[in-house]
Amino acid sequence: MVELLRRETGVRGHPENESFAEESTPPSCKCPGRTTTSSSDQYASQFRVLGQREALAPCGGDHLETHVVGPGVVVLADAICDRGRIAPGDDRINEAVASASLDVLIAKAESAQVLRVIGEPEIQAGVLAGQRGQLDPEAVGVDLEPLVIGVGKGEHILASDPTAIMKHTKKVIYLEDYDMAVITGDKAQIHNLKDKKRPTQKAELLDYDNEQAVLGDFPNFMLKEIFEAPATIRSAILGRALADRNLIKLGGLESVLGQLKYIDRIVIVACGTSYYAGLVGEYLIEELAGIPVEVQLASEFKYRDEPFSRSTALLAISQSGETADTIAALKKVENYGVLRLGIVNSVGSTIARMTDAGVYCHAGPEQAVASTKAFLAQVTVLTLIALHLNDGQTKRFKPLLEELDDLPAKAQEVLDNADEIKRIAEKYANYRDFLYIGRNNAYPSAMEGALKLKECSYLHAEAYAAGEMKHGPLAMIDKDFPTFVIVTDSPLLEKTYSNIQEIRARGGPVVALATKGNTAIKELCDDVIYMPATPLETQPILHAIVTQLFAYYIAMSRGYDVDRPRNLAKSVTVE
Ligand code: AGP
């Protein structure tokens, strides 16, 4: 057994190994519940997509997990290495191997080879990953995937994504760095190979139900998750926005309340939709809490060298909690002595564990690649954090606290207007180019709207601050280039009206998103989508539901797979 390992412990990127992988005759899938293999490239991609259901379709059934039921012993050896390399003859693994008459060894390192079965060839292996924080993925050349152990009745289930386990059990154990688990059907012993004294992880209960992870009567996850808007906002504020006590309670920040008092600058890092949520958060925190905020793309932040004082906090926003660039941004400031905070949806994910404190979104599992409900939850949580930092200092505190309670009903009102949004969206489904504009916090709403259309319908869509039109974008406008204008009630309404007139004067079609009761806007635009009135600060939450539906209906009328858009992954775990 050891022999096999030593020969295969090279790491990818060492040319001789690549070829080795190719040669190997991949064992075929023998029984449901065990993962499959194929040629290394496909294998590697299969390695990475293990968390995504359909990728395993060829083997039939949703095979995200490996069941350990029999007396057989599975040893999960996580990253028994320093800097991503398995040291040949690494006694700890040999010890583990020798000690446990194991049937299956699941080791991380050079997954393609190591995953080949030790023992009878037909026994398949699962995949395991360590915590990116510790390891240098480039060195290992494989993507590190989280790994979760489900504690069932007389069985343990291994998967890279808790949602895959949920239909079997809600009790899960998340593996930490250098953890090794020895599992039988009825026992899972976890040892940390780096710090032997570290207490064993406790099983945690998944806080969402199976119902949430299955489609129900919806045609796809994207529409289902858009229609979860009222529930999403409600669960994000549950037990946190206490209007009756005029109080915001964020348990996840309690351990750092002392430090938060001295924070005089917040740098938000994120990617994609989470980045746009951060941009909305900038308006909220600066205007409600008076703390300067900078929002940076994590992929840029990683390579910048900017001043950081101890009174600066870094706030990472991520739905999956596994986005490589955002993790790298957190890692970059690891030794700066700054507070590292997180807003994360996936419980127990890498970012949730790397940060000093944070707030979970509680939006439940988000399956569609295009993030929808998680964005609503992120902006709702940012509103809570801004009010929490404001601590009742401004007169905006109470009205906004009360408004948060009314938002789920207003979100439902937007959804009740879905057919009208569908009618208008289908009218614009054959244009190739789109511009989204808005002023103040409607500008990041415009950016997020444009991203949704790009992701789902593959159309060219870009967003601009409305005040920028004369400085360039107006040149693009003609009868074939429609503009989606976010012009909900705000002190800047008239200003945005003049932008609309500029566009119409060039023959540009205009769809407007306006506040119910605004009749004037009808004269100015080709089509108007109305949303209920809500204060400026909370408008982006309702803006998003409309732009998500608009993008969704255009994509559906163009016949695209909205849950699995081409060229995109739900969690971008590589740089
Ligand atoms: C959004 O719809 C995309 N899926 C993508 O831009 C995403 O927001 C980005 O990759 C960040 O992901 P995260 O929130 O899981 O970190």
Side-chain angles (χ1 to χ4, degrees):
M1 202 179 288
V2 175
E3 180 54 33
L4 181 64
L5 255 182
R6 189 167 297 114
R7 188 157 48 74
E8 290 176 349
T9 51
V11 291
R12 190 174 301 173
H14 289 230
E16 76 277 3
N17 277 307
E18 285 306 335
S19 57
F20 180 87
E22 246 82 28
E23 272 155 42
S24 65
T25 47
S28 56
C29 172
K30 282 262 173 293
C31 63
R34 298 193 178 228
T35 50
T36 62
T37 60
S38 61
S39 76
S40 72
D41 287 351
Q42 189 194 7
Y43 191 89
S45 63
Q46 209 166 47
F47 172 80
R48 185 176 315 139
V49 297
L50 199 96
Q52 290 170 345
R53 259 169 229 294
E54 71 287 2
L56 293 170
C59 305
D62 54 359
H63 240 14
L64 271 172
E65 64 281 357
T66 300
H67 287 258
V68 183
V69 285
V73 175
V74 170
V75 167
L76 301 181
D78 172 29
I80 303 174
C81 56
D82 293 321
R83 304 214 58 65
R85 297 177 189 287
I86 293 187
D90 182 302
D91 295 337
R92 287 171 292 176
I93 195 165
N94 304 336
E95 244 168 65
V97 170
S99 65
S101 54
L102 67 98
D103 290 331
V104 173
L105 162 67
I106 298 180
K108 180 181 67 54
E110 190 44 35
S111 60
Q113 295 91 347
V114 171
L115 277 178
R116 281 177 55 209
V117 173
I118 299 187
E120 292 73 36
E122 77 277 3
I123 295 180
Q124 305 301 329
V127 177
L128 156 75
Q131 282 305 314
R132 216 170 271 107
Q134 301 288 331
L135 291 173
D136 172 348
E138 277 80 25
V140 243
V142 287
D143 301 318
L144 305 176
E145 298 276 355
L147 189 93
V148 186
I149 301 172
V151 184
K153 290 201 181 55
E155 72 168 354
H156 286 95
I157 302 126
L158 319 169
S160 64
D161 185 316
T163 45
I165 286 178
M166 197 166 36
K167 60 181 173 291
H168 307 288
T169 171
K170 291 184 95 174
K171 230 167 138 195
V172 295
I173 302 172
Y174 292 94
L175 281 194
E176 300 273 354
D177 281 2
Y178 298 99
D179 274 354
M180 177 172 89
V182 179
I183 302 177
T184 62
D186 51 21
K187 205 160 71 251
Q189 291 160 302
I190 302 186
H191 319 271
N192 188 278
L193 291 141
K194 205 155 193 188
D195 150 9
K196 295 216 174 337
K197 291 197 219 49
R198 216 211 41 223
T200 307
Q201 272 91 284
K202 297 252 169 315
E204 297 173 32
L205 268 186
L206 293 172
D207 67 347
Y208 46 80
D209 54 29
N210 200 20
E211 187 343 79
Q212 272 180 300
V214 292
L215 271 179
D217 309 338
F218 287 93
N220 48 57
F221 281 107
M222 184 174 179
L223 191 63
K224 174 180 176 290
E225 287 156 5
I226 294 174
F227 270 76
E228 284 179 29
T232 299
I233 300 166
R234 215 173 284 115
S235 60
I237 62 176
L238 194 64
R240 295 166 168 178
L242 312 171
D244 55 347
R245 292 162 51 196
N246 201 30
L247 179 68
I248 294 276
K249 198 171 174 326
L250 292 173
L253 295 182
E254 260 153 31
S255 60
V256 295
L257 281 183
Q259 286 154 282
L260 277 176
K261 286 203 179 62
Y262 301 100
I263 294 301
D264 60 9
R265 174 177 171 236
I266 295 177
V267 175
I268 295 179
V269 287
C271 304
T273 286
S274 298
Y275 169 76
Y276 296 133
L279 289 175
V280 177
E282 179 176 10
Y283 289 87
L284 289 162
I285 296 173
E286 290 194 344
E287 292 172 16
L288 291 172
I291 299 176
V293 172
E294 263 170 66
V295 188
Q296 296 200 26
L297 288 165
S299 53
E300 288 297 314
F301 175 82
K302 183 177 176 188
Y303 298 109
R304 282 192 58 188
D305 203 1
E306 67 198 282
F308 248 84
S309 73
R310 288 274 174 98
S311 57
T312 298
L314 188 88
L315 172 57
I317 305 179
S318 176
Q319 186 288 122
S320 62
E322 302 294 349
T323 300
D325 289 324
T326 310
I327 289 172
L330 279 166
K331 206 164 178 343
K332 175 186 158 187
V333 302
E334 189 168 39
N335 305 320
Y336 285 23
V338 298
L339 193 55
R340 299 188 301 172
L341 304 171
I343 296 177
V344 174
N345 189 39
S346 292
V347 176
S349 58
T350 306
I351 292 176
R353 283 186 259 160
M354 278 180 92
T355 42
D356 306 311
V359 183
Y360 276 126
C361 291
H362 292 318
E366 189 175 64
Q367 316 260 6
V369 166
S371 182
T372 53
K373 62 176 181 175
F375 177 81
L376 301 190
Q378 288 164 345
V379 176
T380 306
V381 167
L382 283 159
T383 311
L384 293 171
I385 290 178
L387 289 171
H388 187 264
L389 294 170
N390 159 283
D391 200 15
Q393 301 311 312
T394 71
K395 52 186 187 335
R396 300 294 301 139
F397 187 87
K398 193 160 176 34
L400 284 175
L401 195 51
E402 284 153 4
E403 179 63 16
L404 285 171
D405 273 347
D406 301 341
L407 268 185
K410 292 184 178 177
Q412 188 55 53
E413 243 182 280
V414 174
L415 296 172
D416 296 345
N417 187 32
D419 291 348
E420 172 61 3
I421 298 173
K422 181 170 187 290
R423 184 188 66 75
I424 294 175
E426 288 172 350
K427 213 176 127 189
Y428 290 82
N430 299 319
Y431 286 97
R432 287 217 44 72
D433 305 287
F434 267 88
L435 185 65
Y436 285 68
I437 62 172
R439 284 178 182 268
N440 193 279
N441 61 11
Y443 174 32
S445 289
M447 287 192 232
E448 173 54 13
L451 177 65
K452 285 286 116 22
L453 191 65
K454 282 188 270 253
E455 285 186 278
C456 304
S457 69
Y458 318 153
L459 291 174
H460 161 233
E462 55 183 302
Y464 260 88
E468 274 298 289
M469 287 301 288
K470 291 197 208 55
H471 305 287
L474 205 52
M476 297 190 296
I477 298 302
D478 62 21
K479 64 175 179 27
D480 301 321
F481 204 135
T483 304
F484 190 106
V485 184
I486 301 180
V487 55
T488 41
D489 290 359
S490 90
L492 304 172
L493 212 52
E494 298 300 326
K495 300 230 176 278
T496 310
Y497 284 173
S498 61
N499 297 120
I500 294 174
Q501 283 149 347
E502 286 161 5
I503 295 167
R504 296 298 303 280
R506 275 87 182 166
V510 173
V511 189
L513 169 51
T515 302
K516 266 193 188 143
N518 176 345
T519 49
I521 190 79
K522 269 216 166 103
E523 314 310 312
L524 295 176
C525 302
D526 300 278
D527 294 283
V528 182
I529 298 170
Y530 286 104
M531 67 176 226
T534 184
L536 188 65
E537 293 90 341
T538 46
Q539 286 181 3
I541 296 173
L542 299 185
H543 290 160
I545 306 171
V546 174
T547 56
Q548 290 164 3
L549 283 170
F550 187 77
Y552 170 81
Y553 289 125
I554 287 185
M556 289 302 283
S557 71
R558 296 173 74 92
Y560 292 136
D561 175 352
V562 289
D563 282 354
R564 291 281 169 271
R566 69 186 185 194
N567 311 339
L568 296 179
K570 179 63 187 169
S571 177
V572 183
T573 57
V574 288
E575 195 180 321

